[in-house]
């Protein structure tokens, strides 16, 4: 079991009778039918259809949502939503409040996380049946009320415990004490980056750059084509350039030499012997050594990459060397998601 300080994630409260409709129009996926106490991952797109932010939003009541944004995107997302509310949809009854600094969040992650949180949190049934993945519950740790969200950015069984910001140290120490018998280990963002890459989870701003839409990411499942309201970016994604064949698409990459880690930013070519300037196929966005898998893992863009699984591409380096890699799924570990759903 590990523990991560996730307090830096952006947090925005959305209240009002039109909140669900508002989210339908701001996000690419469906929100009207999300039950109270459940969470959903969503993409926020620009008018051009390109991904600008992502995150998990929880429905706390029929007219109350709690949105997570990327750490660096919190202010921009709030400003983007206010712009649409104030200039395009002023008739909507929706109120937005930044609460990033109001809450401290500890992510408790790993096969023993259920045992640790169950030992200190009262008022919540932590069984898999009563508290499934992407659900949210309210409990108490001593006299302190907390909100526990079963969300995972590592692909493992995980819980995010939210308490008022001034109690951040208190909750951290409680979790560390309860986790001693399981050798609980604090970890930071570098470890988190490796864990999420093993699962093929993207980081907006690292694996996206303002020029990719959800289908480029092979994440069309996060776009709802049949919802009752149109959404920002829908028309943008239908532009001629966005539907042309051979667009760059995000794929996984396995190096032929498992010990070689492709430097991020490396450009892909189909033939390393071609004359300069070479015809570039794409580039690496995330690349790490995975101690868990005992090999390097990478994600990157390749023209028409989703249809090119199993093909080899090459990454010329500044020192004259060539790194060869095979195009594969971006999910390197537990593709069925059994670990997070246990």
């Amino acid at each position: 079991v590990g523990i991560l300080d996730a307090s830096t994630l952006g947090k925005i409260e959305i209240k009002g009778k039109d909140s669900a409709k508002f989210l339908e129009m701001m996000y690419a996926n469906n929100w009207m039918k999300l039950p109270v106490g459940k969470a959903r991952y969503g993409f926020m797109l620009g008018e051009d259809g390109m991904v600008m932010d992502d995150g998990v939003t929880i429905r706390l009541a029929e007219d109350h949502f709690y949105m997570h944004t990327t750490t660096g995107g919190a202010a921009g997302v709030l400003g983007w939503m206010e712009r649409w509310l104030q200039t395009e949809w002023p008739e909507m009854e929706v109120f937005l409040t930044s609460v990033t600094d109001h809450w401290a969040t500890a992510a408790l992650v790993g096969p023993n996380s259920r045992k640790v949180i169950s030992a200190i949190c009262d008022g919540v049934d932590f069984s898999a049946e009563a508290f499934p993945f992407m659900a949210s519950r309210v409990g108490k740790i001593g006299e302190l009320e907390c909100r526990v969200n079963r969300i995972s950015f590592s692909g493992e069984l995980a819980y995010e415990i939210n308490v008022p910001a001034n109690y951040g140290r208190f909750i951290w120490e409680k979790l560390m004490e309860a986790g001693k018998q399981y050798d609980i280990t604090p970890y930071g963002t570098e470890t988190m980056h490796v864990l999420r890459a093993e699962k093929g989870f993207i980081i907006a701003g690292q694996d996206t750059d303002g020029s990719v839409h959800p289908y480029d990411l092979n994440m069309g499942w996060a776009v709802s084509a049949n919802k009752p309201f149109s959404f920002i970016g829908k028309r943008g994604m239908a532009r001629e350039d966005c539907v042309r064949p051979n667009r760059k698409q995000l794929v996984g990459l396995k190096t032929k030499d498992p010990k070689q880690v492709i430097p991020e930013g490396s450009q892909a070519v189909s033939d390393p012997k071609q004359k300069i300037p070479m015809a570039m196929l794409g580039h690496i966005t995330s690349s790490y050594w995975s101690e868990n898998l005992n090999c390097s893992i990478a994600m990157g863009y390749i023209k028409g990459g989703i249809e090119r699984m199993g093909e080899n591409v090459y990454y010329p380096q500044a020192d004259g060397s060539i790194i060869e890699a095979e195009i594969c799924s971006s999910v390197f570990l537990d593709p069925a998601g059994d670990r997070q759903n246990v």
Side-chain angles (χ1 to χ4, degrees):
V1 62
I3 184 171
L4 169 77
D5 182 3
S7 305
T8 58
L9 283 174
K11 308 172 192 75
I12 300 170
E13 286 202 14
I14 302 157
K15 289 186 175 182
K17 67 180 180 66
D18 295 318
S19 295
K21 179 180 177 181
F22 175 66
L23 286 177
E24 288 275 352
M25 299 164 80
M26 293 301 307
Y27 271 121
N29 48 345
N30 186 283
W31 295 92
M32 298 287 282
K33 296 179 181 178
L34 183 68
V36 173
K38 295 286 285 183
R40 181 164 290 161
Y41 175 83
F43 276 129
M44 191 169 288
L45 310 180
E47 290 175 277
D48 56 3
M50 303 306 167
V51 173
M52 47 176 293
D53 203 80
D54 69 342
V56 172
T57 298
I58 304 153
R59 191 168 201 165
L60 303 182
E62 287 297 321
D63 61 350
H64 187 188
F65 292 82
Y66 183 88
M67 175 189 289
H68 293 91
T69 73
T70 56
T71 296
V77 168
L78 181 64
W80 178 246
M81 293 195 295
E82 283 285 13
R83 171 188 158 186
W84 286 89
L85 267 180
Q86 294 183 30
T87 64
E88 301 297 330
W89 309 318
E91 73 284 357
M92 280 193 178
E93 187 179 298
V94 179
F95 306 96
L96 307 174
T97 306
S98 172
V99 293
T100 300
D101 295 337
H102 296 198
W103 297 94
T105 306
L108 191 65
V109 180
N112 286 315
S113 57
R114 180 180 284 125
K115 297 174 184 175
V116 175
I117 188 63
S118 298
I120 63 169
C121 185
D122 299 320
V124 177
D125 181 349
F126 284 97
S127 67
E129 297 75 22
F131 196 170
F133 182 56
M134 296 297 271
S136 180
R137 302 287 185 266
V138 175
K140 278 195 169 184
I141 298 177
E143 295 300 312
L144 179 65
E145 187 172 276
C146 63
R147 175 164 293 282
V148 183
N149 304 321
R150 190 174 165 187
I151 301 168
S152 179
F153 194 46
S154 64
E156 300 288 340
L157 175 66
Y159 300 90
E160 292 183 0
I161 301 96
N162 298 268
V163 296
N166 290 343
Y167 292 92
R169 179 172 177 175
F170 165 80
I171 195 67
W172 186 273
E173 291 176 348
K174 282 286 189 183
L175 291 167
M176 288 295 292
E177 182 181 347
K180 267 185 185 177
Q181 61 180 305
Y182 306 106
D183 295 324
I184 191 170
T185 303
Y187 68 98
T189 52
E190 184 62 23
T191 299
M192 179 197 71
H193 278 223
V194 178
L195 294 173
R196 64 91 196 176
E198 290 174 348
K199 285 291 295 178
F201 294 156
I202 67 158
I203 294 180
Q206 177 169 334
D207 299 301
T208 69
D209 61 1
S211 68
V212 296
H213 55 63
Y215 296 100
D216 296 332
L217 296 167
N218 200 22
M219 296 174 69
W221 52 265
V223 178
S224 176
N226 301 314
K227 49 186 189 170
F229 306 102
S230 187
F231 58 89
I232 297 169
K234 184 177 181 179
R235 284 188 297 174
M237 281 195 295
R239 288 178 298 131
E240 183 178 357
D241 183 65
C242 289
V243 297
R244 65 174 167 79
N246 213 34
R247 278 183 65 86
K248 291 181 181 178
Q249 297 169 326
L250 192 70
V251 294
L253 294 143
K254 295 187 293 188
T255 54
K256 288 296 181 179
D257 177 355
K259 296 189 181 303
Q260 279 188 303
V261 178
I262 312 172
E264 291 179 355
S266 293
Q267 296 285 328
V269 298
S270 59
D271 178 9
K273 296 179 181 178
Q274 64 182 288
K275 292 182 179 180
I276 295 174
M278 295 182 175
M280 301 298 178
L281 297 177
H283 65 282
I284 295 291
T285 60
S286 295
S287 183
Y288 309 98
W289 171 259
S290 169
E291 192 67 28
N292 188 36
L293 299 173
N294 195 34
C295 65
S296 71
I297 58 174
M299 292 192 291
Y301 287 94
I302 297 290
K303 288 183 179 179
I306 294 170
E307 301 298 323
R308 301 179 65 170
M309 295 293 170
E311 293 185 21
N312 294 337
V313 289
Y314 303 87
Y315 293 88
Q317 300 301 304
D319 62 2
S321 64
I322 304 289
I323 299 177
E324 184 179 357
E326 179 184 329
I327 301 171
C328 63
S329 168
S330 59
V331 184
F332 296 92
L333 179 69
D334 186 27
D338 293 334
R339 294 185 181 210
Q340 66 190 19
N341 290 304
V342 66

